[in-house]
Amino acid sequence: MAFRGFDATGLTALANQLDALSQNSGKLHSQLATVLTTAQQNLPPGQSASRDPDLQGLVGDVIPMPSIFGGRRRLPGSLGGELGDMQTSMKRRIKQLEGLQELEKRGDPVSDGSVFLDEKAPDAKKIDDALRDLQGLQGKDFGTNGNRDDLEKVSGELDGMTAAELDALMTKASPKDLAFYSQLISDTGDSAWNPFDDNGLPEDRRRATLSLMLSKISPENVGKFQAAFPGMQPTFTNTGAYESGGNNQNGQTNNGIHWAPPSDPLFQDGVSADDVSQNQFGDCWYVASLAGLAQKDPKFIQDGIKQNPNGTVSVRVWDKDGNYQWVTMTADLPTDQNGNPISTYGNGETWPAYYEKAFAMVYSDDGDDERGYGGIEGDDPKKSAPYLTGKEGEDLESGGFLGIGKHDDKNIDSLKKAFDSGKVVTVSTPDDEKLDKDHPAEWGNTYHSNHAYYVRGFTDDGKIILGNPWGVHGYPPITVTQEQFNKYFQGPEAFDVP
């Protein structure tokens, strides 16, 4: 009987046929090699038995050797591995389909998207156990040691579930069960009467579990997830752009900020620093670092972001201990009433916006609990480096990599040494609004006080080329002499590219 349009019995028969063909490929290899070898021996010198390089390679290969000895790399011998891999994949998918069919027979919800997943067959017992333990948190006496051990048990069960299992659990769990779990894992405070108990889950552990859940559930359950775990959406109501209606530095304004899905793809033509445009949130210190990293190692940036089958996006972010995890978020982004992006965006692509959104979800300055986009406004470029690469940033003025002894040394040649060594280099401008009018005219509106820039390169005559994270479209790079750098810039910093 077909299940959601797929005939598991027919597919199994096809897989078995492929298996039989793969086992016969060695015999076919020998037969064809014999024919070609005989033909080659009877041809005049200089002529080939075949013009196809794969077939010509079979000449003399009458007894095919396994691939581990360097053999069967050519057709048809290579079909043994290719057809074998194909039928193995098919049989795995068939088992998963049959498992979904069994779930549906017992009354469990199965989304249409689950039939296309390449994963293990769902285990009904895992769904039942996790749901029982999740519901059992309501009214439970956690004892004198707090609730962390109970929450870690549930978290471990969730982490070990397939996408189909998680989606069934999300559908069966009540909003009340999920909200209570969210409340418990977020509260890490000690009980007033017992300061030595352990409650909630540490932030990295909590985020890892929720990110994994969000990346796997079906689109139909994403709204339910968001309602239960509101902390997985960073707020923008604490930003200057929301409170003041725009960015007072670059002059961009807005009306009606809200969440909306973008129409542009994750990537359009790869990764480039020229894709990065800061827009309206005041996090130039992070965006300058992001643009500098995109310039130095675009592949590293591209490898650090992925779109999941359910439409969510995951970004690789490091924590303070140097460990990375994939932070998952919904695809919607801060947008104004006219559909224009408010957050950092690309030139027809969205990867910069999701890097910024992930950062807004995880960043917290020491001693400051403010989160969201407002929490990443106004800080030091070197503080973004550990989240982007897992490596600490460093001040170049105070020595560090360059071994400079003078704190006020801003020699462009020294910055060039750091840049040429492969580091991302950023600089800042003084918090002095008089400089917004008193700067070289050729810089136009690219220069602004109290702002961060990234180094794009150097000229042959010793000048430094700086990029504005507001984007090259409208804010072209500026070329700065040593004398100008001393007056208009400060705080050179750098971090290593992995």
Side-chain angles (χ1 to χ4, degrees):
M1 181 182 295
F3 173 69
R4 306 288 175 92
F6 292 91
D7 182 357
T9 302
L11 291 171
T12 300
L14 176 58
N16 290 334
Q17 291 174 355
L18 293 175
D19 192 20
L21 288 172
S22 70
Q23 295 174 17
N24 291 327
S25 65
K27 183 178 179 180
L28 178 61
H29 187 109
S30 298
Q31 292 173 339
L32 185 54
T34 298
V35 171
L36 290 170
T37 300
T38 302
Q40 185 68 61
Q41 291 170 347
N42 288 284
L43 286 172
Q47 292 189 22
S48 299
S50 173
R51 295 179 181 178
D52 188 302
D54 285 333
L55 295 180
Q56 180 60 31
L58 293 179
V59 174
D61 196 14
V62 178
I63 303 176
M65 299 294 291
S67 60
I68 58 174
F69 298 110
R72 292 200 178 190
R73 289 187 295 268
R74 300 174 297 274
L75 294 175
S78 63
L79 289 175
E82 294 170 8
L83 293 174
D85 292 343
M86 188 181 300
Q87 64 88 15
T88 299
S89 176
M90 288 181 65
K91 289 181 177 179
R92 182 176 64 250
R93 302 289 289 271
I94 291 165
K95 285 184 178 180
Q96 197 255 350
L97 281 172
E98 292 172 339
L100 293 173
Q101 195 169 14
E102 289 300 314
L103 283 187
E104 191 171 75
K105 284 180 179 178
R106 76 171 205 146
D108 281 351
V110 176
S111 69
D112 289 338
S114 294
V115 302
F116 297 101
L117 298 173
D118 188 1
E119 60 183 16
K120 295 187 300 183
D123 183 345
K125 184 177 184 301
K126 290 173 65 176
I127 300 172
D128 292 341
D129 290 346
L131 183 60
R132 182 194 64 242
D133 292 337
L134 180 68
Q135 294 172 334
L137 296 174
Q138 294 273 3
K140 184 174 183 178
D141 181 3
F142 295 111
T144 60
N145 65 337
N147 60 29
R148 180 163 299 176
D149 54 342
D150 299 273
L151 297 177
E152 286 178 339
K153 179 182 180 182
V154 174
S155 179
E157 290 174 320
L158 296 173
D159 291 348
M161 297 177 79
T162 66
E165 292 163 352
L166 269 174
D167 197 55
L169 173 71
M170 276 294 300
T171 303
K172 297 179 74 170
S174 70
K176 181 180 179 181
D177 292 333
L178 295 171
F180 188 66
Y181 175 65
S182 175
Q183 176 186 338
L184 289 181
I185 62 176
S186 302
D187 184 4
T188 57
D190 297 323
S191 302
W193 57 273
N194 182 10
F196 303 105
D197 56 1
D198 292 315
N199 294 305
L201 292 178
E203 182 183 355
D204 56 345
R205 182 75 179 88
R206 178 171 72 245
R207 192 185 307 113
T209 292
L210 296 181
S211 288
L212 192 63
M213 290 178 66
L214 183 55
S215 70
K216 289 185 174 184
I217 59 177
S218 67
E220 294 81 5
N221 271 324
V222 169
K224 185 177 183 180
F225 179 94
Q226 283 186 288
F229 306 101
M232 294 297 284
Q233 184 82 305
T235 181
F236 52 67
T237 58
N238 55 356
T239 64
Y242 182 84
E243 296 171 351
S244 305
N247 185 318
N248 60 9
Q249 286 190 320
N250 60 25
Q252 292 188 27
T253 60
N254 70 79
N255 195 0
I257 301 181
H258 64 285
W259 291 102
S263 57
D264 293 320
L266 199 61
F267 299 105
Q268 188 176 66
D269 53 2
V271 170
S272 167
D274 293 348
D275 297 334
V276 180
S277 298
Q278 180 189 337
N279 284 336
Q280 297 193 30
F281 295 143
D283 58 343
C284 59
W285 62 283
Y286 170 76
V287 183
S289 298
L290 180 65
L293 182 56
Q295 174 185 250
K296 283 290 189 178
D297 196 340
K299 185 177 185 302
F300 181 80
I301 289 287
Q302 190 154 354
D303 290 346
I305 185 170
K306 57 187 177 183
Q307 198 148 26
N308 303 307
N310 63 1
T312 60
V313 178
S314 297
V315 173
R316 179 180 56 191
V317 180
W318 274 261
D319 61 22
K320 61 183 179 181
D321 297 319
N323 303 311
Y324 78 83
Q325 60 183 247
W326 289 94
V327 175
T328 303
M329 66 209 81
T330 54
D332 48 358
L333 296 168
T335 307
D336 70 12
Q337 65 179 8
N338 298 316
N340 300 312
I342 298 297
S343 60
T344 297
Y345 212 76
N347 182 26
E349 46 201 324
T350 56
W351 67 263
Y354 293 118
Y355 262 91
E356 182 186 47
K357 185 176 180 180
F359 189 58
M361 290 172 65
V362 304
Y363 180 73
S364 177
D365 197 9
D366 294 337
D368 185 359
D369 290 332
E370 185 176 23
R371 294 300 180 95
Y373 287 99
I376 62 173
E377 290 192 311
D379 218 319
D380 191 339
K382 71 177 180 181
K383 290 185 179 180
S384 59
Y387 294 86
L388 284 167
T389 67
K391 300 178 182 294
E392 293 289 336
E394 58 185 329
D395 295 315
L396 296 183
E397 281 186 325
S398 59
F401 163 76
L402 302 173
I404 302 170
K406 297 170 60 180
H407 179 74
D408 61 350
D409 191 339
K410 297 186 292 186
N411 188 283
I412 288 179
D413 289 338
S414 299
L415 272 64
K416 186 175 187 302
K417 289 179 182 178
F419 184 83
D420 289 346
S421 74
K423 293 178 182 289
V424 174
V425 180
T426 60
V427 300
S428 302
T429 54
D431 184 10
D432 183 355
E433 294 183 359
K434 292 185 295 184
L435 298 178
D436 295 331
K437 297 180 179 180
D438 177 25
H439 65 256
E442 63 268 21
W443 294 351
N445 59 357
T446 297
Y447 180 87
H448 204 285
S449 62
N450 195 25
H451 193 40
Y453 295 76
Y454 65 99
V455 175
R456 291 177 64 100
F458 298 82
T459 65
D460 293 337
D461 58 350
K463 300 184 182 71
I464 189 170
I465 304 171
L466 300 177
N468 190 326
W470 292 343
V472 296
H473 305 286
Y475 305 96
I478 57 177
T479 302
V480 182
T481 66
Q482 179 66 69
E483 182 180 2
Q484 292 168 335
F485 191 83
N486 292 341
K487 180 176 180 180
Y488 296 102
F489 295 91
Q490 62 184 15
E493 298 173 343
F495 61 89
D496 286 306
V497 178

